[in-house]
Amino acid sequence: GRTYRVRCKMKDSSGRWSHWSDPNQFVAGEPMSAGILDNLRVTEVMYNPADADLSKDELDVDNDEFEYIELKNIGDEELDLADVSFTEGITFAFAGSNVETLNGGEFVLVVRNVAAFESRYPGLSGRIAGSYDVTDQRLSNSGEVVKLEDYYNGTIADFDYNDGYGWPLSADGGGHS
């Protein structure tokens, strides 16, 4: 809401400076992607799911195919995810995905394999933004760094998980996230 005035000059390739430009005055608005840093959270990571249970009509696939990461908007306002992406651990951009906005209190999922996920967790297909099941990309079963970033605001979450001391045993292949 504050007013700013800007003038500039430029230096050419020979090292000569231009004259100062005319002043340009503007009123600053809300920052791009307002609320992303305060309200978007990584709330669940399923990095080493339990094996397929064929008695429950789950797909007969490798257990890594059931992986997912859940994000939640803990605020009240809608969040625009168009500039949000996972850049480390997995690679996934929300721009052009099935879910580009997230209302207050809602969650969204990024999964490795949509068909496998839906066979295990029916009824959640509307919450799936998409999959990261490109050439051997998966969450490491022994742990790694995961990074979620916003193009304009920088790092939203940067954390590492592992299957060592301090982490619940049931999350390492026992079916818990």
Side-chain angles (χ1 to χ4, degrees):
R2 299 183 93 174
T3 302
Y4 295 91
R5 180 179 289 186
V6 182
R7 295 178 67 195
C8 72
K9 64 180 183 175
M10 299 183 332
K11 187 179 193 182
D12 68 19
S13 60
S14 68
R16 295 179 302 176
W17 285 96
S18 70
H19 294 288
W20 281 100
S21 70
D22 290 334
N24 186 3
Q25 189 166 306
F26 64 95
V27 176
E30 286 294 314
M32 298 289 287
S33 305
I36 288 284
L37 293 177
D38 291 334
N39 297 321
L40 188 61
R41 298 287 189 271
V42 175
T43 51
E44 195 170 354
V45 177
M46 177 62 83
Y47 70 92
N48 188 9
D51 291 330
D53 185 347
L54 301 180
S55 69
K56 294 182 179 178
D57 289 330
E58 293 180 356
L59 288 183
D60 187 12
V61 294
D62 181 85
N63 72 320
D64 289 332
E65 298 297 310
F66 298 103
E67 293 177 347
Y68 63 88
I69 296 181
E70 177 188 275
L71 304 177
K72 185 174 183 177
N73 177 355
I74 62 166
D76 298 328
E77 302 292 322
E78 180 182 89
L79 296 178
D80 181 359
L81 302 178
D83 297 311
V84 174
S85 56
F86 283 99
T87 59
E88 203 168 327
I90 61 168
T91 304
F92 181 84
F94 284 90
S97 74
N98 295 331
V99 179
E100 289 187 328
T101 60
L102 197 56
N103 290 324
E106 287 187 343
F107 66 92
V108 63
L109 298 153
V110 178
V111 304
R112 174 162 165 81
N113 179 321
V114 173
F117 181 88
E118 288 177 336
S119 75
R120 180 166 284 182
Y121 308 101
L124 294 176
S125 60
R127 299 288 17 141
I128 299 172
S131 63
Y132 56 91
D133 60 347
V134 296
T135 317
D136 294 328
Q137 193 175 49
R138 65 180 184 85
L139 293 167
S140 172
N141 290 345
S142 60
E144 66 187 323
V145 172
V146 175
K147 191 171 193 176
L148 180 67
E149 294 184 297
D150 178 79
Y151 180 80
Y152 293 102
N153 294 302
T155 302
I156 299 168
D158 184 355
F159 63 94
D160 61 306
Y161 67 90
N162 63 51
D163 60 355
Y165 179 76
W167 289 86
L169 293 175
S170 58
D172 192 17
H176 297 278
S177 58

